[in-house]
Amino acid sequence: MPSNPSVDFDAIVIGAGFAGMAMVHRLNRDGFSVQGFETGADVGGTWYWNRYPGARCDVPSLQYSYQFSEELQQEWEWSEHYAPQPEILRYANHVAERFDLRRFFRFNTAVTLAEFDEANGHWKITAADGSVTRAHYLITAVGCLSAANTPDIPGLNTFAGQLVHTGHWPDEGVAMEGKRVGVIGTGSSAVQAIPIIAEEAEHLTVFQRTATYTVPAHNRPLAPEEAQEVKRDYKGFREFCSSKPGAYGMLPNMQSALEVSDAERQQIYEKAWQAGGIPFSGSFYDITYDLKANDTAQAFFHGKIREIVKNPETARKLLPKHRFGVKRLCVDTNYYETFNRANVALVDLTEEPIERITEAGIRTTAATYELDILVLATGFDALTGPLLRIDIRGAGGTRLRDVWAHGAETYLGVSVAGFPNMFILSGPGSPSVLTNMVVSIEQHVGWVADCLHYLRAQGLQRIEADAAAQQAWGEELVAMVAGSIIATGNSWYTGANIPGKPRRFMVHVDYPGYVKRCAEVAADGYRGFKLAGG
Ligand code: NAP
């Protein structure tokens, strides 16, 4: 039962991914009534939708998992160092069953409209099926990379073959055998899918606009002794990881790439390459800040690509030209090696742009490529997209779409001025995508739940970001990345991948500093928020 009889529930949670599941679990445990909504047919979020071949996490499994239950983390057994998508989805299902979470969600039910009812001080939620639900609090758990980007390429709808997006992969899979397949895109999703598709399809053509930086995962089965070692003191392991940048449990090499000899630098890069995965970014502390240091990282990749890819012309096309660190580093298994296969071709769209998609395939300025299947690995309208595809209207009917017309503004990445009693999990302005997401999700879930307890205990009915605090937060985000390579380039971090989207770096880059700030804000009576009684 909600504490206020004028609403159906204390809180509404949108999304049944890792954030939504943790949120409903916590609210229910703490005595708040909650209703969840989910567009998909079941739990899992990212891991529900991204079923493309080769999909796998690039954060180690022992870290990419919930820590709210010691029994859960002790009993669940991961089979690989980096878990594949089916295993992560099994884990999500296990969590849903173990904690009986499905009962809180209405599946196959997209929320289309969320309106703050000023007179009654609560949220009115309308779903695609026309149903209306009222709750005191609105908590969005819609994910950061869940609004798939389908590029506006002329003729896309005329393609007669099968058209699929990696972010909306069909449940039943896509039969590639004997087929001519085209993949547009070479980001994280594509580098995982391409090697598997190449093995299955008769022929694969990769349409590349920006050559990517990708490091080998060197994935491996997870040795039982390794898991046991962590489980002996899982709490200590979690604390250690959370105290490091992005909660990834690693520290960058605090040497400059420029203070070592060429031979030593090569050796350090090589060691990081052999170790594999995201930690490569920390080979030297300055490769994403200092342009000369950054040049050395690019040179290392160019050397690797030329070494692996046998055809010099293909290797040339695969050399990244943008700076290392502008876009998220990809992690692969046999990506560059795949271009040595006889059934794989690479088309450089900077040399021959797509003119249009036809019934038969893709026509570039230089040639026509006939295809049976076209895979769009074209990414997402990141961070703001998942929120703005819902029509969210705050106090006075103000639309979030209008408020964010020039870029997302939040306080702590959790709250927006003018949108009372609304909380965003992993929102723009929080560390989200630059962290081990499960860890930062749980931090947000805990912080929001604690906040609701505080409001209840104080007899407060309303909370929202103060406009001045929000502005200061935005300025702080900008100042934090001033001079860094990540904030200046064309990437989904800045909105540059979506035509017409306002350009603004949307992520807080200091986790765990962010956690400390959130705790201080709470301890200081929710400094920077406007609170009001009943
Ligand atoms: P992405 O990194 O945004 O890559 C999209 C790709 O599509 C880029 O190569 C992009 O080229 C290309 N593209 C977009 N529109 C195009 C157009 N009109 N014509 C030609 N090419 C076009 O998307 P993603 O690969 O789905 O990955 C998104 C994020 O999801 C990742 O950065 C990562 O955070 C997460 N992810 C993680 C994993 C993992 O854990 N291993 C796996 C998959 C995804 P441009 O670069 O030129 O725009």
Side-chain angles (χ1 to χ4, degrees):
M1 287 291 287
S3 35
N4 179 343
S6 74
V7 291
D8 304 307
F9 298 93
D10 290 321
I12 278 170
V13 172
I14 309 178
F18 274 55
M21 286 203 293
M23 194 74 242
V24 298
H25 172 66
R26 176 69 193 265
L27 290 176
N28 177 61
R29 194 201 74 182
D30 289 8
F32 293 96
S33 65
V34 56
Q35 175 66 59
F37 290 88
E38 165 59 50
T39 307
D42 207 343
V43 297
T46 285
W47 303 103
Y48 173 90
W49 296 106
N50 288 266
R51 296 168 191 233
Y52 59 85
R56 137 182 344 270
C57 190
D58 56 16
V59 175
S61 331
L62 287 165
Q63 295 181 51
Y64 192 86
S65 47
Y66 289 122
Q67 52 191 300
F68 66 77
S69 159
E70 180 61 15
E71 292 75 25
L72 171 67
Q73 62 179 4
Q74 285 295 334
E75 289 169 23
W76 181 263
E77 286 175 17
W78 295 104
S79 67
E80 296 179 53
H81 180 62
Y82 295 119
Q85 173 271 335
E87 188 169 359
I88 305 176
L89 190 57
R90 272 201 301 282
Y91 172 76
N93 278 288
H94 170 80
V95 171
E97 276 146 36
R98 185 174 186 130
F99 299 99
D100 197 11
L101 302 181
R102 286 199 181 88
R103 69 194 153 120
F104 298 116
F105 285 100
R106 285 176 56 196
F107 293 100
N108 298 307
T109 312
V111 169
T112 51
L113 175 65
E115 298 164 283
F116 185 68
D117 178 337
E118 188 82 59
N120 295 301
H122 63 229
W123 283 88
K124 183 180 153 205
I125 301 300
T126 308
D129 61 7
S131 63
V132 170
T133 312
R134 292 168 188 275
H136 200 89
Y137 301 108
L138 170 64
I139 304 172
T140 68
V142 291
C144 304
L145 295 158
S146 53
N149 167 40
T150 299
D152 187 14
I153 303 174
L156 189 62
N157 295 335
T158 64
F159 180 58
Q162 187 175 5
L163 181 68
V164 282
H165 193 292
T166 48
H168 280 285
W169 202 259
D171 286 5
E172 65 280 11
V174 179
M176 305 271 181
E177 225 181 274
K179 298 283 180 8
R180 297 160 304 174
V181 181
V183 173
I184 300 182
T186 51
S188 295
S189 303
V191 304
Q192 291 185 328
I194 282 167
I196 311 283
I197 295 175
E199 282 171 14
E200 292 175 7
E202 181 185 299
H203 190 269
L204 168 65
T205 310
V206 176
F207 296 87
Q208 167 192 279
R209 187 167 67 182
T210 304
T212 197
Y213 287 95
T214 176
V215 284
H218 297 308
N219 188 34
R220 53 186 159 79
L222 187 62
E225 316 79 68
E226 193 183 337
Q228 275 319 312
E229 179 62 28
V230 166
K231 288 181 179 183
R232 249 193 291 281
D233 179 18
Y234 222 138
K235 189 165 176 289
F237 176 72
R238 296 293 199 177
E239 279 167 8
F240 170 81
C241 294
S242 294
S243 68
K244 302 291 172 287
Y248 288 122
M250 62 192 188
L251 270 179
N253 173 11
M254 290 316 286
Q255 285 174 299
S256 161
L258 305 175
E259 75 179 66
V260 295
S261 68
D262 289 355
E264 196 182 341
R265 185 185 315 114
Q266 187 69 14
Q267 208 177 32
I268 290 171
Y269 278 139
E270 184 61 37
K271 200 170 154 209
W273 181 274
Q274 293 309 333
I278 295 288
F280 184 93
S281 307
S283 302
F284 298 97
Y285 81 89
D286 56 352
I287 53 179
T288 51
Y289 278 88
D290 184 284
L291 297 185
K292 285 212 169 78
N294 189 265
D295 288 343
T296 69
Q298 187 182 64
F300 178 80
F301 273 88
H302 285 190
K304 273 289 170 201
I305 294 165
R306 288 198 180 100
E307 188 184 302
I308 299 168
V309 180
K310 301 214 162 56
N311 180 325
E313 181 57 8
T314 308
R316 181 189 66 76
K317 290 178 184 170
L318 286 167
L319 302 181
K321 292 168 195 67
H322 61 288
R323 291 205 164 272
F324 175 81
V326 161
K327 294 174 190 269
R328 188 179 186 278
L329 180 61
C330 301
V331 179
D332 70 278
T333 300
N334 294 331
Y335 178 69
Y336 294 125
E337 290 82 351
T338 295
F339 292 93
N340 291 330
R341 293 178 66 105
N343 70 333
V344 175
L346 177 66
V347 174
D348 184 341
L349 297 177
T350 63
E351 294 173 0
E352 46 171 309
I354 295 176
E355 271 185 355
R356 67 179 298 110
I357 292 176
T358 66
E359 214 179 304
I362 294 184
R363 195 171 76 216
T364 69
T365 51
T368 297
Y369 301 89
E370 292 194 355
L371 303 169
D372 303 306
I373 299 171
L374 177 54
V375 177
L376 299 177
T378 45
F380 303 90
D381 181 355
L383 293 150
T384 53
L387 288 159
L388 296 183
R389 63 184 173 174
I390 304 168
D391 185 0
I392 301 178
R393 302 179 192 180
T398 306
R399 285 186 158 91
L400 191 61
R401 285 174 192 158
D402 295 334
V403 173
W404 283 2
H406 302 290
E409 290 184 52
T410 66
Y411 178 47
L412 301 180
V414 166
S415 178
V416 182
F419 292 77
N421 297 349
M422 178 177 93
F423 298 93
I424 306 172
L425 302 183
S426 306
S430 76
S432 66
V433 291
L434 290 179
T435 66
N436 170 358
M437 285 294 307
V438 189
V439 172
S440 56
I441 279 171
E442 285 199 77
Q443 184 262 335
H444 263 185
V445 165
W447 191 89
V448 170
D450 289 348
C451 178
L452 300 197
H453 278 293
Y454 177 85
L455 298 172
R456 184 178 268 184
Q458 302 290 319
L460 295 164
Q461 293 297 317
R462 187 169 161 141
I463 180 167
E464 71 176 282
D466 174 67
Q470 177 169 292
Q471 190 178 337
W473 186 254
E475 286 164 7
E476 198 178 316
L477 289 184
V478 172
M480 285 174 90
V481 290
S484 76
I485 285 162
I486 195 173
T488 50
N490 288 337
S491 71
W492 57 258
Y493 294 130
T494 60
N497 65 324
I498 303 295
K501 185 167 175 171
R503 293 284 289 268
R504 179 180 295 211
F505 185 74
M506 296 181 280
V507 193
H508 187 285
V509 294
D510 175 19
Y511 192 103
Y514 172 84
V515 180
K516 194 161 164 265
R517 284 290 293 280
C518 288
E520 283 166 5
V521 165
D524 204 7
Y526 293 88
R527 186 179 68 227
F529 285 91
K530 290 195 293 187
L531 306 172

